[in-house]
Amino acid sequence: MIGCREIDDYIQQVREGEYPVCQDQLRLCDLVEKAFAEEDIYVDEEQLRKYLSKEKFFPFKLFPWEKFVFTLHNCTYWKESGLLRWPDLLMYLGRGAGKNGYIAFESFCMITPTNGVDCYNVDIFATSEDQAKTSFDDVYEVLESRSDRMKKFFTWNKEVIVNKATRSKFKFNTSSPKTKDGQRPGMVIFDEYHAYEDYKLVDVAKTGLGKKRYSRSTIATTDGKVRGGPLDDLKDQVTEILQHGMKDNGLLPFMCHLDDRSEVDDPWMWYKANPSLQYFPTLKQTLEKEYVDYKINPTGNASFMVKRMNMPMTFDKESVADWEKIKACGRALPDLEWCDCVAGIDYAKTTDFVSAGLLFRHKGIYCWMQHTWICKASLDLPKIKAPLDDWRDAGYITMVDGEEIPPELPAEWLAEQAQNYNITYLGIDNFRITLMAKALREAGFDTDRGGANNIRLCKRVTQNRYVPLITSLFNTGKINWGDDPMMSWYTNNACVETFKDNQYYSKKDPERRKTDGFMAMVAAICASEDLIDCGEESSMDDFQVFAF
């Protein structure tokens, strides 16, 4: 027993198992109990009681799980330093659990004198204004419903709420990250963190923390469709903390989800994803209706698994491969210098993206390395939320000035690579060859039977023959592109389309989700029929010398 009712009651509820909980809930209880047993920390009970007394202003009562995380996040301190033990909270909950109500209550508390810090601003962030305003509007309505009394303590309008005694402000944000520099929040909140595709706004929002005592952050989210973004990174960190013993570094990971996809067919297991479900019978009825729709059409009703059960649909009929299989391609590449390889090039427009790469076979694994050129004048660039600047700094991208990407750039890149690798063939889409033919010929690649004759043109029908092979390579873990995060992005942006029993690759979103690096790899695979395995070990018998 820890000695704090809000913590002990919830741990007991989890341990006794009146309702199912996921394994991460049990692991969190282990983490919290271990921390109180081994660390010099304590709960400020007086502060906690003052905070919880503010429930009377709200049209709901906090659930046991909400009191549990609130206590650990906001009222648990290191004895020596007086700093918060868990200043960062992640609430990963199935849709309908009441996360916005929790955010509203916590935000309200943090701007009051109970927090003990003047000018302790609370900023809530989301990718849409409607989402960012949800919890803010909840607090606004609390003040409006008791306006005669609340006017003594607060001023408020539709954009900001201010506590008169502390001068602390609560407001919402959805604007460009450029407008957020220089702010000094005491607390930042991210609502529906799954929607962020990169760290631009996240980094700017969190950079302002640390300038106020008791700086905090709260992330409240379901899962979503974005793969490889900040949420996936955070989930990987939580796995290391809860399953592999990594130090939590002040992160309190409150995770609620199914433990296995098959559990969706047992309504009793749904409580694992939503710790509030037992208190919401109407919500349970809604889930039962949504489940019927999901079983009839899983693809069309994927949000039931993704958002209600927090089980991302990592594979569907259109995806090239399961996201976990795509991530698994990021292994260290072997030494491939002087090995045989096949090159691949792909682009839709030279005013957009152009990708080129080299494909090797090494001990049965297809190894791929690519480079991308991006036209700075591309009209699609403002719509792309991937971390292109980071990938440029890592060497995977060259940004090109001017109105288009000169064909000489990828051709010259291939010529440079030929100084270190033996490029036997080049695969390229037959519709793309015309523009690049001259530059490629100067680099040593042509289709002339009397010349090098080392270009293999790939048509859509060619893809149809190789889609099953590429699918098998992903399923068996036989594709490797090293530490290139851009290839995971490219591949996840591609999909398989079927037309009259023929399959070929296309884009999920033509403007925001580029596939050039993946399609260059596909072109190389289509041209790799004669590619030898450079990792096969030769027997000394192959080099016997005979004397006569």
Side-chain angles (χ1 to χ4, degrees), residues 103-115:
I103 292 173
F105 177 79
E106 184 176 63
S107 303
F108 180 86
C109 289
M110 291 304 109
I111 64 174
T112 66
T114 304
N115 187 21

Side-chain angles (χ1 to χ4, degrees), residues 359-384:
L359 181 75
F360 305 80
R361 287 187 65 200
H362 184 272
K363 296 184 179 180
I365 306 297
Y366 283 77
C367 299
W368 172 253
M369 55 180 70
Q370 67 87 32
H371 190 80
T372 294
W373 294 262
I374 300 178
C375 181
K376 290 182 179 180
S378 171
L379 298 178
D380 290 343
L381 278 183
K383 306 170 188 175
I384 298 173

Side-chain angles (χ1 to χ4, degrees), residues 138-335:
D138 287 345
V139 178
Y140 179 90
E141 291 302 324
V142 165
L143 300 177
E144 285 284 301
S145 65
R146 300 168 177 261
S147 59
D148 290 344
R149 181 177 179 183
M150 290 300 187
K151 284 180 181 178
K152 299 177 184 178
F153 309 104
F154 296 90
T155 61
W156 64 90
N157 56 41
K158 290 287 188 178
E159 296 182 353
V160 62
I161 295 168
V162 183
N163 184 281
K164 291 182 178 180
T166 65
R167 303 186 305 284
S168 300
K169 300 176 182 178
F170 176 38
K171 58 184 183 299
F172 59 91
N173 302 268
T174 58
S175 303
S176 164
K178 294 180 180 179
T179 67
K180 305 306 170 193
D181 269 326
Q183 297 197 24
R184 297 183 178 181
M187 179 178 189
V188 294
I189 300 169
F190 297 98
D191 194 1
E192 296 300 10
Y193 197 66
H194 67 82
Y196 290 97
E197 297 188 16
D198 57 44
Y199 285 93
K200 290 180 181 178
L201 184 56
V202 174
D203 287 344
V204 171
K206 298 187 78 170
T207 298
L209 291 174
K211 300 173 184 178
K212 290 290 182 180
R213 188 167 174 80
Y214 308 131
S215 291
R216 298 171 171 87
S217 70
T218 292
I219 295 174
T221 188
T222 64
D223 215 304
K225 296 180 179 179
V226 175
R227 299 274 67 85
L231 178 59
D232 277 355
D233 290 346
L234 189 56
K235 286 162 60 181
D236 288 343
Q237 180 184 345
V238 169
T239 298
E240 292 299 315
I241 293 170
L242 294 182
Q243 298 187 32
H244 303 136
M246 186 177 81
K247 291 184 178 180
D248 61 65
N249 197 31
L251 173 65
L252 183 70
F254 190 83
M255 309 292 288
C256 297
H257 54 85
L258 298 185
D259 286 309
D260 186 86
R261 304 186 70 82
S262 63
E263 291 178 340
V264 72
D265 295 320
D266 182 357
W268 182 242
M269 295 293 105
W270 297 350
Y271 292 93
K272 289 186 175 185
N274 192 326
S276 305
L277 190 56
Q278 58 184 295
Y279 311 107
F280 292 141
T282 302
L283 176 61
K284 180 71 180 302
Q285 184 182 43
T286 299
L287 293 187
E288 290 169 349
K289 293 174 63 177
E290 291 181 357
Y291 171 74
V292 173
D293 294 335
Y294 164 74
K295 294 300 288 186
I296 294 172
N297 183 5
T299 302
N301 297 284
S303 62
F304 182 81
M305 280 293 281
V306 177
K307 294 183 176 294
R308 292 295 197 187
M309 301 293 125
N310 273 343
M311 293 294 287
M313 298 290 285
T314 54
F315 178 83
D316 56 45
K317 293 181 179 179
E318 295 185 345
S319 296
V320 169
D322 183 292
W323 172 246
E324 295 302 320
K325 291 183 173 65
I326 293 174
K327 287 201 302 181
C329 297
R331 307 181 299 278
L333 288 169
D335 181 7

Side-chain angles (χ1 to χ4, degrees), residues 370-371 387-398 483-486:
Q370 67 87 32
H371 190 80
L388 300 180
D389 291 342
D390 293 342
W391 296 341
R392 178 203 60 206
D393 294 342
Y396 298 110
I397 293 174
T398 296
D483 59 356
D484 183 352
M486 199 172 187

Side-chain angles (χ1 to χ4, degrees), residues 111-135:
I111 64 174
T112 66
T114 304
N115 187 21
V117 184
D118 289 340
C119 300
Y120 191 90
N121 297 334
V122 176
D123 285 347
I124 184 168
F125 292 84
T127 57
S128 72
E129 181 172 326
D130 286 345
Q131 190 62 51
K133 288 181 63 177
T134 301
S135 296

Side-chain angles (χ1 to χ4, degrees), residues 470-539:
I470 295 171
T471 300
S472 176
L473 293 176
F474 278 105
N475 288 338
T476 56
K478 292 185 178 180
I479 290 183
N480 181 14
W481 49 63
D483 59 356
D484 183 352
M486 199 172 187
M487 275 304 299
S488 298
W489 179 69
Y490 275 140
T491 306
N492 194 50
N493 292 344
C495 63
V496 180
E497 290 196 19
T498 303
F499 179 72
K500 294 183 178 179
D501 296 327
N502 293 318
Q503 290 186 309
Y504 55 91
Y505 294 108
S506 63
K507 300 176 182 178
K508 292 179 179 177
D509 182 332
E511 296 179 346
R512 297 171 59 247
R513 307 181 72 170
K514 304 301 179 182
T515 62
D516 301 74
F518 171 76
M519 294 302 294
M521 184 178 73
V522 170
I525 292 176
C526 291
S528 68
E529 185 174 337
D530 302 322
L531 182 60
I532 65 172
D533 193 317
C534 61
E536 292 181 349
E537 297 182 1
S538 299
S539 167

